[in-house]
Amino acid sequence: MTTLRKARKTDATFIARMVLAALHIDENSDTRLCRHIKELVEDEGTLYSWHRCIIATDNDERVGMCLAYDAADYHERRLRSFTMPCSDGKSVAEDNTSLLEQEDEAGEGEYYIDSVAVVASHRGGGIGRTLMADAIAKGKALHLRPTLLVDPANTNAVKLYTSLGFRYERDIFAFGQIYHKYSIVI
């Protein structure tokens, strides 16, 4: 049975791996990026802080996560996330300055669903839908419009999001590619 719980700092490595999975990045292909994402998850002032995450478990095994939050302070947290020095002394933006130039993905009045990922062996069982429904309910309870970005080639995700009430809003160029921004009108 799948249950949801608030993340703990001890979940940082799992959350970092799931953020990379949501971005379709193999954690073994870039160990520095994986380490940096984990450090961002451990920092309370970043977009990826563990405080902003819900963990899905099945018999106490972590099987998925959803990183979602009030996007009112998105810009400041994005700058901190991309300019924060990693343990090797370099920031993510140091190697990719376009990160600082891209438009904000979210802002005031939005409950931004930043990353949702389910462990590969547990996909297709409704865990992603459960995590999404929880995030949507939290956004609505705060009177914020749930929003997210999706790779248009990820047809399974698009199908899930539209079935939950998300509608296409516009295109956003982020992380070197075009994403579709979707939202739910509240």
Side-chain angles (χ1 to χ4, degrees):
M1 177 179 175
T2 301
T3 57
L4 304 182
R5 66 166 171 82
K6 290 183 177 184
R8 299 184 279 261
K9 193 171 186 176
T10 56
D11 293 314
T13 299
F14 176 78
I15 296 167
R17 287 181 175 144
M18 292 289 95
V19 167
L20 290 170
L23 293 170
H24 306 289
I25 298 172
D26 177 8
E27 67 181 278
N28 298 316
S29 69
D30 191 339
T31 55
R32 180 185 177 278
L33 179 60
C34 189
R35 184 178 65 250
H36 192 82
I37 296 291
K38 180 179 181 276
E39 291 172 13
L40 293 176
V41 170
E42 292 172 337
D43 186 290
E44 293 180 27
T46 69
L47 293 173
Y48 306 103
S49 173
W50 62 273
H51 286 97
R52 298 169 155 232
C53 194
I54 295 295
I55 302 290
T57 62
D58 184 15
N59 294 320
D60 294 325
E61 176 189 358
R62 294 175 294 202
V63 295
M65 71 91 200
C66 179
L67 186 64
Y69 45 82
D70 179 344
D73 62 354
Y74 183 90
H75 184 75
E76 295 79 18
R77 285 182 181 262
R78 180 173 72 86
L79 291 178
R80 178 180 175 99
S81 298
F82 296 152
T83 60
M84 186 180 105
C86 185
S87 56
D88 67 3
K90 292 177 67 178
S91 70
V92 171
E94 208 168 308
D95 292 330
N96 188 353
T97 56
S98 67
L99 290 173
L100 298 176
E101 298 162 3
Q102 70 188 33
E103 74 175 290
D104 287 342
E105 299 165 39
E108 188 78 35
E110 296 179 40
Y111 192 76
Y112 187 56
I113 303 170
D114 188 300
S115 301
V116 177
V118 175
V119 172
S121 61
H122 287 78
R123 291 182 189 145
I127 296 168
R129 180 175 291 279
T130 299
L131 286 163
M132 289 295 300
D134 180 70
I136 292 165
K138 285 178 180 163
K140 288 181 175 181
L142 294 169
H143 305 288
L144 298 171
R145 183 171 47 99
T147 63
L148 54 82
L149 293 188
V150 63
D151 178 347
N154 189 345
T155 56
N156 287 335
V158 170
K159 194 182 304 183
L160 171 63
Y161 302 153
T162 57
S163 76
L164 290 167
F166 283 91
R167 298 296 173 251
Y168 172 81
E169 191 176 298
R170 65 189 178 96
D171 287 349
I172 289 185
F173 186 76
F175 305 104
Q177 73 175 68
I178 297 288
Y179 286 90
H180 289 182
K181 184 166 186 172
Y182 279 71
S183 64
I184 293 179
V185 178
I186 57 169

